[in-house]
């Protein structure tokens, strides 16, 4: 079964639906209960099995409770998709507030670490598992005035490589997916050309493909999925 964080909208909702379409039982977590319920309704209407669990995954205590609830409902977690994340506002690094830095690092890096730590022991026992960390093209390059976000995604990519190196002997696959600009809520305030952006469904299809490959297939990290056309609108 699979657990998807940030599953109420955008990339997370699309991933949850794609996994459910493969016959995978899916639990989705996030802070917005109504959006989680909407995603579960869509999955069930299509014949899938899903469970919504409202949770603030930036809090360690809620992560522990979340994993316990998922296991009680569906059994061991075979697929973990760390999708929940945030983008700090665009300011130079010397103007970053400590609170902004800490909040960004907590959700973009500490949460995937905590969730991976929670599920790996059972994955090792079962000799099977997939951990998919939704990173960003910002984890492959340096973008000025996006310091906390960029650094958190570089670190997330490194965490993913470490997870793969430490656990591949146990048939556990770790993937860092680095999308370019996606037509999702996080990009709503940006000056973009909508038709040139990636869609959440395109990211979900890549994740679905990754977790359905034969056990002997290893994909190199990080995995970039980008747009063919410029998604940015020129300043007026």
């Amino acid at each position: 079964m699979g657990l998807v964080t940030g599953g109420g909208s955008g990339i997370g909702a699309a991933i949850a639906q794609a996994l459910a379409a493969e016959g995978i039982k899916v639990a989705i977590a996030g802070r917005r209960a109504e959006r989680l319920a909407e995603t579960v309704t869509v999955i069930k209407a299509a014949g899938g099995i899903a469970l919504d669990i409202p949770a603030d995954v930036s809090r360690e205590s809620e992560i522990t409770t979340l994993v316990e609830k998922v296991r009680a409902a569906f059994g061991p977690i075979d697929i973990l998709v760390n999708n929940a994340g945030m983008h700090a506002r665009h300011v130079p690094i010397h103007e970053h507030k400590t609170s902004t830095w800490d909040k960004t690092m907590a959700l973009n890096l500490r949460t995937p670490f905590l969730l991976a730590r929670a599920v790996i022991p059972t994955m090792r026992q079962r000799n099977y598992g997939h951990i998919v960390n939704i990173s960003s093209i910002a984890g492959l390059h340096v973008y000025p005035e996006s310091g906390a976000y960029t650094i958190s995604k570089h670190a997330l990519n490194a965490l993913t490589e470490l997870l793969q190196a430490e656990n591949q002997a146990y048939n556990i696959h770790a993937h860092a997916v680095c999308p370019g600009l996606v037509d999702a809520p996080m990009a709503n305030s940006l000056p973009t050309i909508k038709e040139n952006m990636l869609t959440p469904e395109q990211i979900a299809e890549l994740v679905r493909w990754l977790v359905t490959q034969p056990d002997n297939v290893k994909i190199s990290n990080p995995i970039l999925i980008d747009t063919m056309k410029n998604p940015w609108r020129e300043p007026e």
Side-chain angles (χ1 to χ4, degrees):
M1 64 80 51
L3 168 61
V4 181
T5 65
S9 63
I11 295 173
I15 291 172
Q17 292 171 44
L19 296 181
E22 286 289 326
I24 298 167
K25 296 178 182 178
V26 181
I28 59 173
R31 291 179 297 174
R32 296 176 296 172
E34 69 284 355
R35 299 304 297 270
L36 297 177
E38 290 171 4
T39 301
V40 166
T41 298
V42 171
I43 290 173
K44 289 182 175 179
I49 299 174
L51 172 69
D52 52 313
I53 305 177
D56 181 352
V57 292
S58 67
R59 298 178 179 272
E60 185 171 0
S61 60
E62 294 201 30
I63 287 176
T64 300
T65 302
L66 168 64
V67 171
E68 290 174 351
K69 287 181 178 179
V70 173
R71 287 173 174 163
F74 289 154
I77 298 169
D78 297 315
I79 300 169
L80 168 64
V81 181
N82 285 308
N83 171 70
M86 65 169 288
H87 196 303
R89 68 188 185 91
H90 293 274
V91 294
I93 193 68
H94 65 277
E95 294 181 10
H96 267 53
K97 294 181 180 179
T98 303
S99 59
T100 300
W101 176 276
D102 289 346
K103 187 175 181 180
T104 304
M105 292 297 170
L107 190 55
N108 292 1
L109 181 61
R110 184 171 179 268
T111 292
F113 153 67
L114 291 172
L115 279 162
R117 188 180 68 175
V119 304
I120 283 174
T122 304
M123 288 181 173
R124 283 190 170 204
Q125 291 172 7
R126 292 164 57 82
N127 204 46
Y128 178 78
H130 287 272
I131 298 172
V132 182
N133 293 323
I134 303 302
S135 182
S136 168
I137 192 172
L140 301 173
H141 305 285
V142 173
Y143 290 94
E145 300 191 349
S146 189
Y149 181 77
T150 293
I151 293 168
S152 70
K153 292 302 186 179
H154 274 77
L156 181 60
N157 290 349
L159 172 63
T160 307
E161 292 190 66
L162 180 68
L163 293 174
Q164 177 67 60
E166 289 185 346
N167 293 286
Q168 63 185 30
Y170 297 90
N171 197 35
I172 298 171
H173 302 255
H175 319 279
V177 175
C178 298
L181 199 59
V182 180
D183 184 10
M186 192 178 289
N188 285 345
S189 63
L190 300 176
T192 59
I193 303 172
K194 199 176 185 71
E195 57 270 24
N196 289 358
M197 299 165 69
L198 296 167
T199 67
E201 290 72 23
Q202 288 167 332
I203 311 306
E205 175 59 21
L206 173 57
V207 174
R208 183 206 64 78
W209 181 85
L210 287 171
V211 303
T212 56
Q213 291 307 293
D215 289 345
N216 67 322
V217 174
K218 177 182 177 182
I219 310 298
S220 296
N221 283 303
I223 305 162
L224 172 65
I225 174 171
D226 201 2
T227 57
M228 288 289 286
K229 298 180 180 180
N230 178 23
W232 295 103
R233 195 174 301 280
E234 294 294 331
E236 296 182 357

